[in-house]
Short mmCIF file of all heavy atoms in Angstrom, two decimals:
data_model
loop_
_atom_site.label_atom_id
_atom_site.label_comp_id
_atom_site.label_asym_id
_atom_site.label_seq_id
_atom_site.Cartn_x
_atom_site.Cartn_y
_atom_site.Cartn_z
N MET A 42 100.09 101.51 134.28
CA MET A 42 100.40 102.18 133.05
C MET A 42 99.12 102.83 132.55
O MET A 42 98.08 102.19 132.48
CB MET A 42 100.94 101.18 132.04
CG MET A 42 101.45 101.82 130.79
SD MET A 42 102.36 100.69 129.75
CE MET A 42 103.96 100.87 130.43
N THR A 43 99.22 104.12 132.21
CA THR A 43 98.07 104.86 131.70
C THR A 43 98.46 105.46 130.35
O THR A 43 99.52 106.07 130.23
CB THR A 43 97.67 106.00 132.66
OG1 THR A 43 97.43 105.45 133.95
CG2 THR A 43 96.44 106.71 132.17
N TYR A 44 97.61 105.26 129.36
CA TYR A 44 97.84 105.82 128.02
C TYR A 44 96.97 107.05 127.82
O TYR A 44 95.79 107.02 128.16
CB TYR A 44 97.50 104.78 126.95
CG TYR A 44 98.45 103.61 126.93
CD1 TYR A 44 98.22 102.49 127.71
CD2 TYR A 44 99.59 103.64 126.14
CE1 TYR A 44 99.09 101.41 127.70
CE2 TYR A 44 100.47 102.57 126.12
CZ TYR A 44 100.22 101.46 126.90
OH TYR A 44 101.09 100.42 126.89
N PHE A 45 97.57 108.09 127.24
CA PHE A 45 96.85 109.31 126.92
C PHE A 45 96.86 109.50 125.41
O PHE A 45 97.94 109.59 124.80
CB PHE A 45 97.48 110.53 127.61
CG PHE A 45 97.37 110.48 129.10
CD1 PHE A 45 98.38 109.92 129.86
CD2 PHE A 45 96.25 110.98 129.74
CE1 PHE A 45 98.28 109.86 131.24
CE2 PHE A 45 96.15 110.92 131.12
CZ PHE A 45 97.16 110.35 131.87
N ASN A 46 95.68 109.54 124.82
CA ASN A 46 95.53 109.71 123.37
C ASN A 46 94.55 110.86 123.17
O ASN A 46 93.41 110.66 122.78
CB ASN A 46 95.03 108.40 122.76
CG ASN A 46 94.89 108.47 121.26
OD1 ASN A 46 95.28 109.44 120.62
ND2 ASN A 46 94.32 107.43 120.68
N THR A 47 95.00 112.07 123.48
CA THR A 47 94.10 113.23 123.48
C THR A 47 93.55 113.57 122.09
O THR A 47 92.47 114.13 121.98
CB THR A 47 94.80 114.46 124.07
OG1 THR A 47 96.00 114.71 123.35
CG2 THR A 47 95.12 114.24 125.54
N ASP A 48 94.29 113.22 121.03
CA ASP A 48 93.80 113.46 119.67
C ASP A 48 92.82 112.39 119.21
O ASP A 48 92.24 112.51 118.14
CB ASP A 48 94.98 113.52 118.69
CG ASP A 48 95.89 114.70 118.95
OD1 ASP A 48 95.43 115.69 119.55
OD2 ASP A 48 97.07 114.63 118.56
N ARG A 49 92.67 111.34 120.01
CA ARG A 49 91.79 110.22 119.68
C ARG A 49 92.10 109.62 118.32
O ARG A 49 91.21 109.26 117.54
CB ARG A 49 90.33 110.61 119.79
CG ARG A 49 89.93 111.07 121.17
CD ARG A 49 88.49 110.71 121.43
NE ARG A 49 88.09 111.06 122.77
CZ ARG A 49 88.12 110.21 123.79
NH1 ARG A 49 88.57 109.01 123.63
NH2 ARG A 49 87.72 110.59 124.98
N LYS A 50 93.39 109.50 118.03
CA LYS A 50 93.84 108.89 116.78
C LYS A 50 93.80 107.37 116.89
O LYS A 50 93.90 106.81 117.97
CB LYS A 50 95.28 109.33 116.45
CG LYS A 50 95.42 110.81 116.23
CD LYS A 50 94.80 111.21 114.92
CE LYS A 50 95.04 112.68 114.67
NZ LYS A 50 94.55 113.12 113.41
N ASP A 51 93.66 106.72 115.75
CA ASP A 51 93.73 105.28 115.68
C ASP A 51 95.15 104.87 116.06
O ASP A 51 96.11 105.26 115.41
CB ASP A 51 93.39 104.81 114.27
CG ASP A 51 93.42 103.31 114.11
OD1 ASP A 51 93.73 102.59 115.08
OD2 ASP A 51 93.15 102.85 112.99
N THR A 52 95.30 104.10 117.11
CA THR A 52 96.64 103.74 117.60
C THR A 52 97.32 102.67 116.75
O THR A 52 98.49 102.38 116.98
CB THR A 52 96.57 103.27 119.06
OG1 THR A 52 95.69 102.16 119.15
CG2 THR A 52 96.10 104.39 119.96
N TYR A 53 96.63 102.09 115.81
CA TYR A 53 97.23 101.06 114.96
C TYR A 53 97.81 101.61 113.66
O TYR A 53 98.32 100.87 112.85
CB TYR A 53 96.20 99.96 114.65
CG TYR A 53 95.90 99.12 115.86
CD1 TYR A 53 94.74 99.33 116.60
CD2 TYR A 53 96.78 98.15 116.29
CE1 TYR A 53 94.47 98.58 117.72
CE2 TYR A 53 96.52 97.39 117.42
CZ TYR A 53 95.37 97.61 118.12
OH TYR A 53 95.10 96.87 119.24
N THR A 54 97.73 102.91 113.46
CA THR A 54 98.27 103.50 112.24
C THR A 54 99.70 103.99 112.49
O THR A 54 100.05 104.35 113.62
CB THR A 54 97.43 104.69 111.75
OG1 THR A 54 97.48 105.71 112.74
CG2 THR A 54 95.99 104.28 111.50
N PRO A 55 100.53 104.02 111.47
CA PRO A 55 101.91 104.51 111.64
C PRO A 55 101.97 105.99 112.05
O PRO A 55 102.97 106.42 112.60
CB PRO A 55 102.54 104.32 110.26
CG PRO A 55 101.67 103.36 109.54
CD PRO A 55 100.30 103.50 110.13
N GLU A 56 100.91 106.75 111.80
CA GLU A 56 100.91 108.17 112.15
C GLU A 56 100.81 108.41 113.66
O GLU A 56 101.17 109.47 114.15
CB GLU A 56 99.75 108.91 111.46
CG GLU A 56 99.88 109.00 109.95
CD GLU A 56 99.42 107.72 109.25
OE1 GLU A 56 98.54 107.03 109.77
OE2 GLU A 56 99.98 107.43 108.18
N CYS A 57 100.32 107.43 114.39
CA CYS A 57 100.19 107.56 115.84
C CYS A 57 101.50 107.10 116.47
O CYS A 57 101.86 105.93 116.37
CB CYS A 57 99.02 106.74 116.35
SG CYS A 57 98.73 107.02 118.10
N ILE A 58 102.19 108.03 117.09
CA ILE A 58 103.50 107.71 117.68
C ILE A 58 103.50 108.03 119.16
O ILE A 58 102.70 108.81 119.65
CB ILE A 58 104.63 108.48 116.97
CG1 ILE A 58 104.39 109.99 117.07
CG2 ILE A 58 104.78 108.04 115.53
CD1 ILE A 58 105.55 110.82 116.61
N LEU A 59 104.43 107.44 119.86
CA LEU A 59 104.62 107.73 121.26
C LEU A 59 105.43 109.02 121.36
O LEU A 59 106.50 109.13 120.78
CB LEU A 59 105.39 106.58 121.90
CG LEU A 59 105.48 106.64 123.39
CD1 LEU A 59 105.39 105.25 123.95
CD2 LEU A 59 106.73 107.33 123.81
N THR A 60 104.91 110.01 122.06
CA THR A 60 105.60 111.29 122.15
C THR A 60 106.40 111.45 123.42
O THR A 60 107.43 112.11 123.44
CB THR A 60 104.62 112.47 122.01
OG1 THR A 60 103.63 112.37 123.04
CG2 THR A 60 103.96 112.48 120.64
N GLN A 61 105.92 110.84 124.53
CA GLN A 61 106.69 110.92 125.77
C GLN A 61 106.17 109.94 126.81
O GLN A 61 105.04 109.49 126.74
CB GLN A 61 106.69 112.32 126.36
CG GLN A 61 105.42 112.76 127.02
CD GLN A 61 105.54 114.15 127.63
OE1 GLN A 61 106.51 114.86 127.43
NE2 GLN A 61 104.53 114.54 128.36
N TYR A 62 107.06 109.61 127.74
CA TYR A 62 106.72 108.84 128.93
C TYR A 62 106.89 109.76 130.13
O TYR A 62 107.78 110.60 130.14
CB TYR A 62 107.72 107.70 129.17
CG TYR A 62 107.74 106.59 128.17
CD1 TYR A 62 108.71 106.55 127.17
CD2 TYR A 62 106.83 105.55 128.25
CE1 TYR A 62 108.76 105.51 126.28
CE2 TYR A 62 106.88 104.50 127.35
CZ TYR A 62 107.86 104.48 126.37
OH TYR A 62 107.90 103.45 125.49
N VAL A 63 106.09 109.55 131.15
CA VAL A 63 106.34 110.17 132.45
C VAL A 63 106.44 109.00 133.43
O VAL A 63 105.48 108.24 133.61
CB VAL A 63 105.23 111.15 132.86
CG1 VAL A 63 105.54 111.73 134.23
CG2 VAL A 63 105.09 112.26 131.83
N LEU A 64 107.61 108.86 134.03
CA LEU A 64 107.87 107.78 134.97
C LEU A 64 107.72 108.32 136.39
O LEU A 64 108.34 109.33 136.74
CB LEU A 64 109.28 107.23 134.77
CG LEU A 64 109.65 106.80 133.36
CD1 LEU A 64 111.10 106.36 133.30
CD2 LEU A 64 108.73 105.70 132.87
N HIS A 65 106.92 107.67 137.19
CA HIS A 65 106.70 108.06 138.59
C HIS A 65 107.38 107.01 139.46
O HIS A 65 106.96 105.85 139.50
CB HIS A 65 105.20 108.12 138.91
CG HIS A 65 104.48 109.17 138.14
ND1 HIS A 65 104.23 110.41 138.65
CD2 HIS A 65 103.96 109.16 136.88
CE1 HIS A 65 103.58 111.13 137.76
NE2 HIS A 65 103.41 110.39 136.67
N TYR A 66 108.42 107.43 140.15
CA TYR A 66 109.17 106.53 141.02
C TYR A 66 108.49 106.41 142.38
O TYR A 66 107.80 107.33 142.82
CB TYR A 66 110.60 107.05 141.20
CG TYR A 66 111.46 106.84 139.99
CD1 TYR A 66 111.41 107.69 138.91
CD2 TYR A 66 112.34 105.76 139.93
CE1 TYR A 66 112.21 107.49 137.79
CE2 TYR A 66 113.14 105.55 138.83
CZ TYR A 66 113.07 106.42 137.76
OH TYR A 66 113.85 106.22 136.66
N ALA A 67 108.71 105.29 143.03
CA ALA A 67 108.15 105.06 144.36
C ALA A 67 108.68 106.09 145.36
O ALA A 67 108.02 106.41 146.34
CB ALA A 67 108.48 103.65 144.82
N SER A 68 109.86 106.64 145.11
CA SER A 68 110.47 107.64 146.00
C SER A 68 109.80 109.01 145.88
O SER A 68 110.11 109.91 146.65
CB SER A 68 111.95 107.78 145.66
OG SER A 68 112.12 108.30 144.35
N GLY A 69 108.92 109.19 144.88
CA GLY A 69 108.27 110.47 144.66
C GLY A 69 108.85 111.25 143.50
O GLY A 69 108.27 112.24 143.05
N GLU A 70 110.00 110.81 143.01
CA GLU A 70 110.62 111.46 141.85
C GLU A 70 109.77 111.22 140.61
O GLU A 70 109.14 110.18 140.46
CB GLU A 70 112.03 110.88 141.63
CG GLU A 70 112.76 111.46 140.46
CD GLU A 70 114.09 110.75 140.20
OE1 GLU A 70 114.45 109.84 140.95
OE2 GLU A 70 114.74 111.12 139.21
N LYS A 71 109.79 112.18 139.70
CA LYS A 71 109.06 112.07 138.44
C LYS A 71 110.04 112.43 137.32
O LYS A 71 110.75 113.42 137.41
CB LYS A 71 107.87 113.01 138.44
CG LYS A 71 106.96 112.87 137.26
CD LYS A 71 105.62 113.54 137.48
CE LYS A 71 105.71 115.04 137.41
NZ LYS A 71 104.39 115.68 137.35
N LYS A 72 110.09 111.59 136.27
CA LYS A 72 111.01 111.83 135.17
C LYS A 72 110.26 111.76 133.85
O LYS A 72 109.51 110.81 133.60
CB LYS A 72 112.12 110.77 135.20
CG LYS A 72 113.22 111.02 134.18
CD LYS A 72 114.25 109.91 134.21
CE LYS A 72 115.16 110.08 135.41
NZ LYS A 72 116.30 109.14 135.36
N THR A 73 110.45 112.76 132.99
CA THR A 73 109.82 112.80 131.68
C THR A 73 110.84 112.37 130.63
O THR A 73 111.94 112.91 130.57
CB THR A 73 109.30 114.21 131.36
OG1 THR A 73 108.35 114.57 132.37
CG2 THR A 73 108.63 114.26 130.00
N ILE A 74 110.45 111.42 129.79
CA ILE A 74 111.29 110.91 128.71
C ILE A 74 110.61 111.30 127.40
O ILE A 74 109.49 110.89 127.14
CB ILE A 74 111.44 109.37 128.78
CG1 ILE A 74 111.84 108.92 130.18
CG2 ILE A 74 112.36 108.87 127.70
CD1 ILE A 74 113.20 109.34 130.62
N SER A 75 111.29 112.08 126.57
CA SER A 75 110.70 112.56 125.31
C SER A 75 111.24 111.80 124.11
O SER A 75 111.71 112.39 123.13
CB SER A 75 110.96 114.06 125.15
OG SER A 75 110.33 114.76 126.19
N GLN A 76 111.18 110.49 124.18
CA GLN A 76 111.57 109.64 123.06
C GLN A 76 110.78 108.35 123.16
O GLN A 76 110.20 108.06 124.19
CB GLN A 76 113.08 109.37 123.08
CG GLN A 76 113.57 108.72 124.35
CD GLN A 76 115.09 108.67 124.42
OE1 GLN A 76 115.77 109.50 123.83
NE2 GLN A 76 115.61 107.70 125.12
N ALA A 77 110.78 107.58 122.10
CA ALA A 77 109.94 106.38 122.04
C ALA A 77 110.52 105.20 122.81
O ALA A 77 109.78 104.31 123.21
CB ALA A 77 109.71 105.98 120.59
N VAL A 78 111.82 105.20 123.04
CA VAL A 78 112.48 104.06 123.69
C VAL A 78 113.15 104.54 124.97
O VAL A 78 113.84 105.56 124.97
CB VAL A 78 113.53 103.43 122.74
CG1 VAL A 78 114.23 102.28 123.41
CG2 VAL A 78 112.88 102.97 121.45
N LEU A 79 112.96 103.78 126.04
CA LEU A 79 113.61 104.11 127.30
C LEU A 79 115.11 103.84 127.21
O LEU A 79 115.53 102.88 126.57
CB LEU A 79 113.03 103.28 128.44
CG LEU A 79 111.58 103.53 128.83
CD1 LEU A 79 111.17 102.57 129.94
CD2 LEU A 79 111.38 104.96 129.27
N ASP A 80 115.90 104.65 127.89
CA ASP A 80 117.32 104.39 128.00
C ASP A 80 117.53 103.21 128.93
O ASP A 80 116.62 102.79 129.65
CB ASP A 80 118.06 105.62 128.53
CG ASP A 80 118.11 106.76 127.53
OD1 ASP A 80 118.10 106.48 126.31
OD2 ASP A 80 118.16 107.92 127.95
N GLN A 81 118.76 102.69 128.95
CA GLN A 81 119.06 101.50 129.73
C GLN A 81 118.75 101.69 131.21
O GLN A 81 118.19 100.82 131.86
CB GLN A 81 120.51 101.10 129.55
CG GLN A 81 120.88 99.84 130.29
CD GLN A 81 122.31 99.42 130.06
OE1 GLN A 81 123.04 100.06 129.32
NE2 GLN A 81 122.72 98.36 130.69
N LYS A 82 119.08 102.85 131.78
CA LYS A 82 118.86 103.09 133.20
C LYS A 82 117.38 103.04 133.55
O LYS A 82 116.98 102.39 134.53
CB LYS A 82 119.45 104.42 133.63
CG LYS A 82 119.39 104.60 135.15
CD LYS A 82 119.18 106.04 135.54
CE LYS A 82 119.13 106.24 137.03
NZ LYS A 82 118.13 105.46 137.73
N GLU A 83 116.55 103.72 132.77
CA GLU A 83 115.12 103.73 133.05
C GLU A 83 114.50 102.34 132.85
O GLU A 83 113.63 101.93 133.60
CB GLU A 83 114.40 104.76 132.19
CG GLU A 83 114.64 106.19 132.61
CD GLU A 83 115.97 106.77 132.14
OE1 GLU A 83 116.56 106.22 131.19
OE2 GLU A 83 116.42 107.76 132.74
N ALA A 84 114.95 101.62 131.83
CA ALA A 84 114.45 100.26 131.60
C ALA A 84 114.81 99.36 132.78
O ALA A 84 114.00 98.54 133.22
CB ALA A 84 115.03 99.71 130.31
N GLN A 85 116.01 99.54 133.32
CA GLN A 85 116.43 98.76 134.49
C GLN A 85 115.58 99.12 135.71
O GLN A 85 115.20 98.25 136.49
CB GLN A 85 117.91 98.99 134.79
CG GLN A 85 118.45 98.12 135.90
CD GLN A 85 118.48 96.66 135.54
OE1 GLN A 85 118.71 96.30 134.38
NE2 GLN A 85 118.23 95.81 136.50
N ASP A 86 115.26 100.40 135.86
CA ASP A 86 114.40 100.83 136.97
C ASP A 86 113.02 100.18 136.88
O ASP A 86 112.45 99.80 137.90
CB ASP A 86 114.26 102.36 136.98
CG ASP A 86 115.54 103.06 137.38
OD1 ASP A 86 116.48 102.40 137.87
OD2 ASP A 86 115.60 104.30 137.17
N VAL A 87 112.49 100.03 135.67
CA VAL A 87 111.20 99.36 135.49
C VAL A 87 111.33 97.89 135.92
O VAL A 87 110.50 97.37 136.67
CB VAL A 87 110.72 99.46 134.03
CG1 VAL A 87 109.51 98.56 133.79
CG2 VAL A 87 110.40 100.90 133.67
N ARG A 88 112.39 97.22 135.45
CA ARG A 88 112.58 95.81 135.80
C ARG A 88 112.78 95.60 137.30
O ARG A 88 112.35 94.58 137.85
CB ARG A 88 113.77 95.23 135.03
CG ARG A 88 113.49 95.03 133.55
CD ARG A 88 114.57 94.23 132.88
NE ARG A 88 115.82 94.94 132.78
CZ ARG A 88 116.16 95.80 131.82
NH1 ARG A 88 115.31 96.06 130.86
NH2 ARG A 88 117.33 96.38 131.81
N GLU A 89 113.40 96.56 137.96
CA GLU A 89 113.65 96.45 139.40
C GLU A 89 112.46 96.94 140.24
O GLU A 89 112.55 97.00 141.46
CB GLU A 89 114.91 97.22 139.77
CG GLU A 89 116.16 96.58 139.21
CD GLU A 89 117.42 97.35 139.53
OE1 GLU A 89 117.35 98.41 140.18
OE2 GLU A 89 118.50 96.89 139.11
N ARG A 90 111.39 97.33 139.56
CA ARG A 90 110.14 97.77 140.21
C ARG A 90 110.33 99.01 141.07
O ARG A 90 109.71 99.17 142.11
CB ARG A 90 109.52 96.65 141.01
CG ARG A 90 109.17 95.47 140.14
CD ARG A 90 108.60 94.36 140.93
NE ARG A 90 108.42 93.21 140.06
CZ ARG A 90 107.55 92.27 140.26
NH1 ARG A 90 106.76 92.31 141.30
NH2 ARG A 90 107.45 91.26 139.43
N LEU A 91 111.20 99.91 140.60
CA LEU A 91 111.40 101.18 141.29
C LEU A 91 110.36 102.21 140.85
O LEU A 91 110.20 103.24 141.48
CB LEU A 91 112.80 101.72 141.01
CG LEU A 91 113.96 100.84 141.47
CD1 LEU A 91 115.28 101.44 141.05
CD2 LEU A 91 113.90 100.62 142.97
N ILE A 92 109.67 101.91 139.76
CA ILE A 92 108.69 102.83 139.19
C ILE A 92 107.30 102.30 139.53
O ILE A 92 106.98 101.15 139.27
CB ILE A 92 108.89 102.96 137.67
CG1 ILE A 92 110.25 103.58 137.41
CG2 ILE A 92 107.77 103.75 137.03
CD1 ILE A 92 110.66 103.63 135.98
N CYS A 93 106.47 103.17 140.12
CA CYS A 93 105.14 102.72 140.53
C CYS A 93 104.06 103.08 139.52
O CYS A 93 102.98 102.49 139.55
CB CYS A 93 104.80 103.29 141.90
SG CYS A 93 104.76 105.09 141.99
N ARG A 94 104.34 104.02 138.63
CA ARG A 94 103.34 104.42 137.62
C ARG A 94 104.04 104.93 136.38
O ARG A 94 105.06 105.61 136.48
CB ARG A 94 102.44 105.50 138.20
CG ARG A 94 101.23 105.77 137.34
CD ARG A 94 100.25 106.67 138.05
NE ARG A 94 100.52 108.04 137.65
CZ ARG A 94 100.31 109.10 138.40
NH1 ARG A 94 99.83 108.98 139.61
NH2 ARG A 94 100.57 110.30 137.96
N ILE A 95 103.49 104.60 135.22
CA ILE A 95 104.01 105.08 133.93
C ILE A 95 102.87 105.70 133.16
O ILE A 95 101.81 105.09 133.00
CB ILE A 95 104.62 103.93 133.10
CG1 ILE A 95 105.75 103.24 133.88
CG2 ILE A 95 105.12 104.46 131.75
CD1 ILE A 95 106.28 102.00 133.19
N GLU A 96 103.08 106.93 132.69
CA GLU A 96 102.11 107.58 131.81
C GLU A 96 102.73 107.60 130.41
O GLU A 96 103.87 108.00 130.23
CB GLU A 96 101.85 109.00 132.27
CG GLU A 96 101.20 109.07 133.63
CD GLU A 96 101.06 110.50 134.15
OE1 GLU A 96 101.53 111.45 133.48
OE2 GLU A 96 100.47 110.65 135.22
N VAL A 97 101.95 107.18 129.43
CA VAL A 97 102.40 107.11 128.04
C VAL A 97 101.54 108.07 127.23
O VAL A 97 100.31 107.96 127.24
CB VAL A 97 102.28 105.68 127.47
CG1 VAL A 97 102.75 105.64 126.04
CG2 VAL A 97 103.06 104.69 128.34
N TYR A 98 102.18 109.01 126.54
CA TYR A 98 101.45 109.99 125.73
C TYR A 98 101.62 109.66 124.26
O TYR A 98 102.74 109.53 123.77
CB TYR A 98 101.94 111.41 126.04
CG TYR A 98 101.55 111.85 127.42
CD1 TYR A 98 102.32 111.53 128.53
CD2 TYR A 98 100.37 112.56 127.62
CE1 TYR A 98 101.95 111.92 129.79
CE2 TYR A 98 99.98 112.95 128.90
CZ TYR A 98 100.77 112.62 129.98
OH TYR A 98 100.39 113.01 131.24
N LEU A 99 100.50 109.53 123.56
CA LEU A 99 100.49 109.24 122.13
C LEU A 99 100.09 110.49 121.37
O LEU A 99 99.31 111.31 121.85
CB LEU A 99 99.50 108.11 121.84
CG LEU A 99 99.73 106.81 122.60
CD1 LEU A 99 98.54 105.89 122.44
CD2 LEU A 99 101.00 106.14 122.16
N GLY A 100 100.62 110.63 120.18
CA GLY A 100 100.29 111.79 119.37
C GLY A 100 100.58 111.52 117.91
O GLY A 100 100.80 110.39 117.49
N THR A 101 100.62 112.60 117.14
CA THR A 101 100.90 112.49 115.72
C THR A 101 102.05 113.37 115.34
O THR A 101 102.48 114.21 116.08
CB THR A 101 99.67 112.89 114.89
OG1 THR A 101 99.26 114.19 115.30
CG2 THR A 101 98.55 111.91 115.07
#
């Protein structure tokens, strides 16, 4: 899991929010999620270890 905080905002303040996830599957597929919470399918993929890398983008 890699976090990107390009604005260098304090991550403990309510103004710093998660803007998107990029999920990298072991199969080579890449999926961008533009919400703070994963849907059930993506969450299940994480639990089943189908995803090898997650990028988390923080912003304001």
Side-chain angles (χ1 to χ4, degrees):
M42 187 169 272
T43 305
Y44 292 89
F45 294 92
N46 182 7
T47 56
D48 295 337
R49 300 211 176 266
K50 297 288 184 176
D51 181 359
T52 58
Y53 289 101
T54 63
E56 293 81 30
C57 186
I58 59 170
L59 189 143
T60 58
Q61 75 178 8
Y62 294 100
V63 179
L64 307 176
H65 295 264
Y66 285 81
S68 65
E70 179 186 358
K71 187 165 73 169
K72 186 182 283 188
T73 300
I74 310 294
S75 297
Q76 57 189 27
V78 179
L79 294 177
D80 289 331
Q81 183 178 358
K82 187 213 180 304
E83 286 80 20
Q85 186 67 34
D86 290 348
V87 171
R88 288 191 291 276
E89 292 178 359
R90 299 179 186 205
L91 299 176
I92 296 173
C93 60
R94 191 170 94 210
I95 302 173
E96 296 174 356
V97 180
Y98 291 85
L99 303 169
T101 54

